[in-house]
Amino acid sequence: QVQLVESGGGLVQAGGSLRLSCATSGRTFSMAWFRQVPGKEREFVASITLNGGRTDYVETVKGRFTISRNNAKNTVDLQMNSLKPEDTAAYYCAAQRVLSFALDRNPRSYDYWGQGTQVTVSS
């Protein structure tokens, strides 16, 4: 069983930046970040393939967020710039245990999940 541990959340003013990091305890394939606010479904944010060659972003974060990974360190990061109050949510790291050549936005396609880290953006 692979464990994922997120870090880097916090409180930031609108327009500011945060960098989230997710450390994995073992080998994973495609990885992603999701976010969730109370009372709403978990929302896809960004994903990245095993070799980092392809990425996918939800439209609302394109140009502001960047996902990256370091397979030597078993980490995946989410650099978040120009943050907006609507980015406020609990952010979750997710990973697939099976190799797939397609990036997936469906949370049901991911096998491992972190415990989440809170990001709060004040206006």
Side-chain angles (χ1 to χ4, degrees):
Q1 181 76 6
V2 174
Q3 293 185 333
L4 308 181
V5 179
E6 302 100 334
S7 60
L11 173 64
V12 64
Q13 289 188 334
S17 298
L18 281 175
R19 188 176 184 90
L20 305 183
S21 186
C22 174
T24 72
S25 64
R27 181 179 178 85
T28 58
F29 294 96
S30 293
M31 296 192 69
W33 287 93
F34 290 79
R35 63 188 180 186
Q36 190 171 23
V37 297
K40 292 190 176 182
E41 293 186 352
R42 194 162 293 188
E43 177 192 29
F44 168 80
V45 176
S47 61
I48 188 168
T49 51
L50 173 61
N51 65 1
R54 288 190 295 129
T55 57
D56 184 29
Y57 298 91
V58 68
E59 282 295 325
T60 53
V61 308
K62 281 184 179 178
R64 300 188 298 122
F65 291 11
T66 303
I67 189 171
S68 61
R69 68 189 297 168
N70 185 325
N71 290 335
K73 295 183 178 180
N74 287 335
T75 59
V76 61
D77 291 348
L78 185 68
Q79 177 66 42
M80 305 186 295
N81 299 327
S82 302
L83 282 161
K84 304 176 181 180
E86 51 264 42
D87 293 319
T88 295
Y91 282 71
Y92 296 88
C93 175
Q96 293 182 334
R97 62 180 174 87
V98 177
L99 180 63
S100 171
F101 295 103
L103 289 171
D104 205 319
R105 296 186 174 194
N106 188 341
R108 294 186 177 88
S109 298
Y110 292 84
D111 306 290
Y112 307 116
W113 291 86
Q115 81 288 351
T117 186
Q118 179 67 32
V119 171
T120 303
V121 184
S122 63
S123 58

